[in-house]
Amino acid sequence: MTVTYVIDGSEVTGLDRFWDVIGEAVNGPGGYFGRNLDAFADCLRGGMGTPDDDDFVIEWRGHALSARALGHEETARHLRDLSGRAHASNLPRLRQELARAEAGLGPTLFDRLLEIIRDETAPGTLRLL
């Protein structure tokens, strides 16, 4: 039996809120399902609430609202935050990504989340509604 996890795009107002929404969708109130991109990818690989047999669907309703909330402005905010605690060897890349995000260019956090879901789950797992 396929399990469906629903993300309500109207509730995603930024990256921090996305972590709350996906955590609750998968693991109930107060649930955890990653608090950064790497942890999110790890959770999607299994063992953190999703069925072990990969028989699940992520249904992202109102995804266009999330795409706006997780757009270039939020991406730039996230990259500024990362820059403050990144290893010196990562700073040039982060600064370049930040400049692009501030100019409204390059992939957004929404794009990155979709990429992670598609990379870490079976084809057809993600449904954008």
Side-chain angles (χ1 to χ4, degrees), residues 66-88:
S66 298
R68 282 192 287 281
L70 298 169
H72 288 105
E73 185 177 329
E74 180 69 354
T75 302
R77 186 203 61 76
H78 174 68
L79 291 168
R80 280 191 292 276
D81 182 52
L82 286 179
S83 296
R85 48 193 165 91
H87 188 274

Side-chain angles (χ1 to χ4, degrees), residues 75-76 78-103 105:
T75 302
H78 174 68
L79 291 168
R80 280 191 292 276
D81 182 52
L82 286 179
S83 296
R85 48 193 165 91
H87 188 274
S89 64
N90 290 328
L91 286 176
R93 179 186 55 82
L94 283 173
R95 288 183 184 133
Q96 183 180 37
E97 288 179 24
L98 174 58
R100 289 183 50 78
E102 289 175 334
L105 302 170

Side-chain angles (χ1 to χ4, degrees), residues 9 60-68 110 128-129:
W60 199 328
R61 299 176 185 168
H63 72 279
L65 297 169
S66 298
R68 282 192 287 281
F110 182 76
L128 298 175
L129 304 174

Side-chain angles (χ1 to χ4, degrees), residues 23-78:
E24 290 181 2
V26 175
N27 291 310
Y32 173 86
F33 204 71
R35 295 293 300 176
N36 64 60
L37 298 174
D38 291 332
F40 180 57
D42 289 343
C43 289
L44 285 168
R45 289 184 199 115
M48 293 298 296
T50 58
D52 290 333
D53 62 0
D54 290 335
D55 193 15
F56 67 95
V57 169
I58 297 172
E59 193 173 279
W60 199 328
R61 299 176 185 168
H63 72 279
L65 297 169
S66 298
R68 282 192 287 281
L70 298 169
H72 288 105
E73 185 177 329
E74 180 69 354
T75 302
R77 186 203 61 76
H78 174 68

